[in-house]
Amino acid sequence: MIFLGRNSELRILEKEYNRKSSFVVIYGRRRVGKTTLIKEFIKDKNALYFLASEEGNRQNLNKFTQKVSEFTKQPYIADCHFEHWSNVFQAFTSYLPNEKKILVIDEFQYLVNANPAYPSVFQEAWDEIMKDNNVMVILCGSLISMMTSQVLSHSSPLYGRRTAQIRLHPLRFSDIRSAFLNKTFSELVELYAVTGGVPKYLEFFDNEISLWENVSDTILNKSGFLYEEPIFLLEKEVRETINYFSIIKAISLGNHKLSKISGLLEQKTTSVLPYIITLADLFLVEKRIPVTEQNPEKSRKGLYYINDHFIDFWFKFVYPYRSELEMDNISYVLKKIQSVFIENHVSFVFEYISREVFRDLCIREDINFIPSKIGAYWNNNTEIDVVSIDNEHNCIFAGECKYYDHPVPADVYFDLKRKCDSIQEFKNQKIIYGIFSVSGFESRLIELAKNNTGLYLINNGELI
């Protein structure tokens, strides 16, 4: 598959490369494209790439020694039975000392698993050997919890050494859109709703067959690549996976308040909250606050959502039917999914995509608005899908997202206006409106927009 997106990350890495010495940490969930990003960056540079393995310290040291021998074109190094990592780092650093070199250690967490003192070992090697010798170091890891505790946290020996860090997210919808020019906007929304923009998942989706054929082959089939992916993901990161599964399942069923989640699990909120915090640290769950809240950290209006479209899809549509899928009853499960796919999943992902689209329209200045925050709004009576605040101009953008198979009628705009008129937080601010669609707009709504500079119609991600 072609290399997609990651322009901002490549710019960060190039900037770090141009420093005299730099120490970059890259981390993120499995399959998100960390190694692909690194290999794209180093493809035309003098770099040693080392992939740590789930073996002992001695085995990894021997493999790294072999890599250094090959990199330096000094075969005798491979025969040296080094007792200390520092000796091999010295051999790497001493090679062509006047030339810039990159050292990449991928899956760094495996070295820490094999030797808990390894962060201290690497800290000493960086401080004493590599830091002042024209070396760029990239440490990369997939276990977010370990990378956070062993590399990024204040208690880590490596704390304060890094010059940059990149938490790699799934690809943005716009990246997917630019790569699949043969698909319609709606087809891409639905593809994104299933894969969540995770590059490795996209690789396993055959562009020549339908979305549902791909879902059947890759997700619903017992031998499919993604059939048990969330299980593998969580088992690597946490213990007591059953508690985490129960929480994610509760959220996938539409329970977004902490009290409802804990009630469904028949546990106290104080017992459930630590698990949710861990899931948030792993970027699998997020706490969302109405975008108008002045002190979001103190707000009691927070709701919890699954922060990964694929994980959300899997818990909604695969986990509840594991018994049927184990019996190879794929067609039955597929019909169940298709009957509620748009209403229960795609429509919510479309809201997420619309927020991204709105941001991009503002950046391109197609919409005269400077967003400081983009999110949603809700209270006990009202919900608005896309809300953004422009502090510079004391202005609010309010948008509704309609994933219809027919043009959006004018009534949607009038309903949106009535909602906004009822919201106290919107008082004394200029409000501009937007309607997001995938199937166009009725003629009356188009005419209204022509005569109203405060109403934007966005169809398939573009202003009309």
Side-chain angles (χ1 to χ4, degrees), residues 151-337:
V151 180
L152 300 172
S153 79
H154 191 275
S155 60
S156 168
L158 293 170
Y159 182 79
R161 270 73 184 177
R162 69 185 183 277
T163 56
Q165 68 187 55
I166 297 173
R167 176 167 76 87
L168 207 60
H169 299 266
L171 292 166
R172 300 175 72 242
F173 177 76
S174 58
D175 296 325
I176 308 296
R177 193 178 179 190
S178 65
F180 294 92
L181 299 178
N182 62 323
K183 290 187 180 295
T184 66
F185 187 87
S186 293
E187 287 174 333
L188 289 174
V189 170
E190 292 171 24
L191 175 66
Y192 195 74
V194 175
T195 64
V198 176
K200 193 66 176 179
Y201 301 169
L202 287 164
E203 284 184 33
F204 279 86
F205 271 55
D206 186 343
N207 201 27
E208 301 302 318
I209 63 177
S210 73
L211 173 69
W212 295 115
E213 288 175 290
N214 276 304
V215 168
S216 295
D217 294 345
T218 310
I219 303 175
L220 303 184
N221 192 304
K222 285 185 297 186
S223 60
F225 177 73
L226 298 178
Y227 180 65
E228 295 185 314
E229 176 70 2
I231 299 173
F232 297 145
L233 185 66
L234 277 170
E235 284 180 343
K236 286 283 187 180
E237 290 281 6
V238 299
R239 299 175 182 175
E240 303 176 65
T241 53
I242 189 169
N243 291 320
Y244 294 97
F245 264 63
S246 298
I247 290 169
I248 298 175
K249 175 62 176 171
I251 297 173
S252 75
L253 290 172
N255 301 286
H256 301 295
K257 291 184 178 180
L258 180 58
S259 58
K260 284 193 173 183
I261 297 168
S262 56
L264 191 66
L265 272 56
E266 298 182 357
Q267 296 183 32
K268 294 180 179 179
T269 56
T270 51
S271 300
V272 172
L273 188 57
Y275 292 102
I276 291 183
I277 291 172
T278 298
L279 288 169
D281 289 341
L282 296 174
F283 312 112
L284 296 177
V285 166
E286 71 171 345
K287 184 180 182 181
R288 298 179 189 170
I289 308 294
V291 74
T292 53
E293 290 290 281
Q294 297 296 319
N295 296 298
E297 63 281 352
K298 296 181 180 179
S299 174
R300 297 191 176 187
K301 297 180 180 179
L303 300 176
Y304 293 93
Y305 287 85
I306 298 171
N307 192 31
D308 182 297
H309 302 317
F310 169 75
I311 300 293
D312 195 18
F313 175 88
W314 192 90
F315 273 91
K316 283 176 179 173
F317 303 123
V318 180
Y319 192 48
Y321 296 107
R322 289 293 296 279
S323 297
E324 289 81 359
L325 293 173
E326 287 293 324
M327 298 295 293
D328 295 320
N329 202 347
I330 293 175
S331 60
Y332 167 79
V333 176
L334 195 61
K335 289 176 183 175
K336 286 287 188 180
I337 297 173

Side-chain angles (χ1 to χ4, degrees), residues 316-385:
K316 283 176 179 173
F317 303 123
V318 180
Y319 192 48
Y321 296 107
R322 289 293 296 279
S323 297
E324 289 81 359
L325 293 173
E326 287 293 324
M327 298 295 293
D328 295 320
N329 202 347
I330 293 175
S331 60
Y332 167 79
V333 176
L334 195 61
K335 289 176 183 175
K336 286 287 188 180
I337 297 173
Q338 290 172 321
S339 68
V340 293
F341 180 58
I342 300 300
E343 180 184 356
N344 287 4
H345 188 62
V346 176
S347 60
F348 299 109
V349 177
F350 181 54
E351 294 174 12
Y352 175 93
I353 290 170
S354 297
R355 294 180 196 114
E356 179 188 313
V357 165
F358 174 71
R359 192 199 74 163
D360 290 345
L361 290 170
C362 292
I363 290 173
R364 297 203 306 259
E365 298 184 353
D366 292 337
I367 295 178
N368 183 24
F369 193 92
I370 304 173
S372 59
K373 292 191 289 185
I374 300 175
Y377 175 86
W378 62 89
N379 59 30
N380 291 334
N381 306 308
T382 302
E383 293 183 13
I384 300 179
D385 301 329

Side-chain angles (χ1 to χ4, degrees), residues 108-127:
F108 182 76
Q109 71 273 357
Y110 294 148
L111 299 178
V112 181
N113 281 340
N115 178 6
Y118 197 82
S120 295
V121 171
F122 198 84
Q123 173 240 314
E124 183 177 354
W126 171 253
D127 288 348

